[in-house]
C-alpha cells in the first residue's frame, strides 16, 4: 500500500515477474528447455531444483549438469551421495563437475551408466552437448566457483524467459 497500489493490482502483476538470471530461469534453445540455476548450490537447494525440473515435452528426458557443492565440511561426501541418489531417481542422465561428485559416483554408484563425472568444465560441457536432444529439460546448477553460467554463453542460448 505504500506504493499506492492495491493488493489486487500487485497480485495481478506478480505472474509477469520473471526469475533473476541464475535463479531457476527457464531458457529455450533448439528445442531444449534449460534451467539456469547457476547462482549457487546448497544441498537443500540442489535437491529441490532436481525435484522441480519441468516435465519435458513428448519423449524428452530430464538431465542435469551439477557442479560440486562447496563448504560442506565433514558432510561433504554424504551430501553429494544424497544428491546423486535423488538425481538417479528423478533424472535420465546426470553429468557432474568436480572432485566431490566424482568421488561420490565412483564410491557409491560405480556401475551406474546414467552418471558421467568430470573434473574439467570443458569435458563436462562437451558431454552435455553430445547427449542433449530436442525435447529435453536440462538443469544446470553448481557452486559459484564453477561459473556454470558459462554453459549458456558457450551454447549461445537465446533470451531468458522465451
Amino acid at each position: 500500500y505504500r506504493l499506492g497500489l492495491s493488493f489486487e493490482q500487485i497480485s495481478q502483476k506478480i505472474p509477469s515477474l520473471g526469475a533473476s538470471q541464475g535463479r531457476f530461469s527457464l531458457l529455450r534453445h533448439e528445442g531444449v528447455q534449460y534451467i539456469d540455476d547457476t547462482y549457487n548450490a546448497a544441498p537443500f537447494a540442489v535437491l529441490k531444483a532436481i525435484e522441480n525440473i519441468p516435465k519435458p515435452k513428448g519423449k524428452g528426458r530430464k538431465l542435469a549438469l551439477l557442479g560440486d557443492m562447496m563448504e560442506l565440511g565433514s558432510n561433504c561426501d554424504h551430501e553429494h551421495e544424497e544428491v546423486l541418489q535423488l538425481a538417479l531417481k528423478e533424472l535420465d542422465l546426470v553429468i557432474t563437475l568436480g572432485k566431490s561428485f566424482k568421488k561420490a559416483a565412483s564410491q557409491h554408484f560405480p556401475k551406474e551408466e546414467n552418471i558421467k563425472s568430470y573434473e574439467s568444465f570443458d569435458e563436462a560441457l562437451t558431454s552435455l552437448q553430445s547427449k542433449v536432444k530436442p525435447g529435453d529439460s536440462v538443469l544446470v546448477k553448481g557452486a559459484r566457483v564453477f561459473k556454470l553460467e558459462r554453459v549458456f554463453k558457450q551454447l549461445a542460448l537465446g533470451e531468458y524467459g522465451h
Side-chain angles (χ1 to χ4, degrees), residues 69-89:
M69 302 171 288
M70 307 307 260
E71 301 175 9
L72 299 177
S74 62
N75 290 329
C76 185
D77 291 344
H78 172 74
E79 298 291 357
H80 284 87
E81 176 191 356
E82 188 175 326
V83 166
L84 288 178
Q85 281 180 331
L86 179 67
L88 288 170
K89 289 180 192 171

Side-chain angles (χ1 to χ4, degrees), residues 90-122:
E90 298 284 332
L91 307 176
D92 298 295
L93 178 66
V94 184
I95 297 168
T96 69
L97 174 59
K99 293 178 181 179
S100 295
F101 269 129
K102 188 171 188 172
K103 179 181 175 184
S106 66
Q107 286 184 349
H108 301 287
F109 310 100
K111 296 182 181 179
E112 181 56 58
E113 294 182 14
N114 292 331
I115 300 174
K116 308 293 181 199
S117 295
Y118 304 95
E119 291 186 34
S120 143
F121 173 80
D122 291 334

Side-chain angles (χ1 to χ4, degrees), residues 117-160:
S117 295
Y118 304 95
E119 291 186 34
S120 143
F121 173 80
D122 291 334
E123 288 177 319
L125 180 61
T126 299
S127 180
L128 177 65
Q129 289 174 309
S130 71
K131 306 264 189 285
V132 72
K133 300 175 184 174
D136 289 348
S137 289
V138 181
L139 170 68
V140 181
K141 187 163 186 65
R144 290 295 314 134
V145 68
F146 292 106
K147 300 177 183 170
L148 289 177
E149 66 277 2
R150 295 180 294 164
V151 168
F152 306 106
K153 291 177 182 154
Q154 293 282 338
L155 297 176
L157 290 179
E159 295 297 315
Y160 280 81

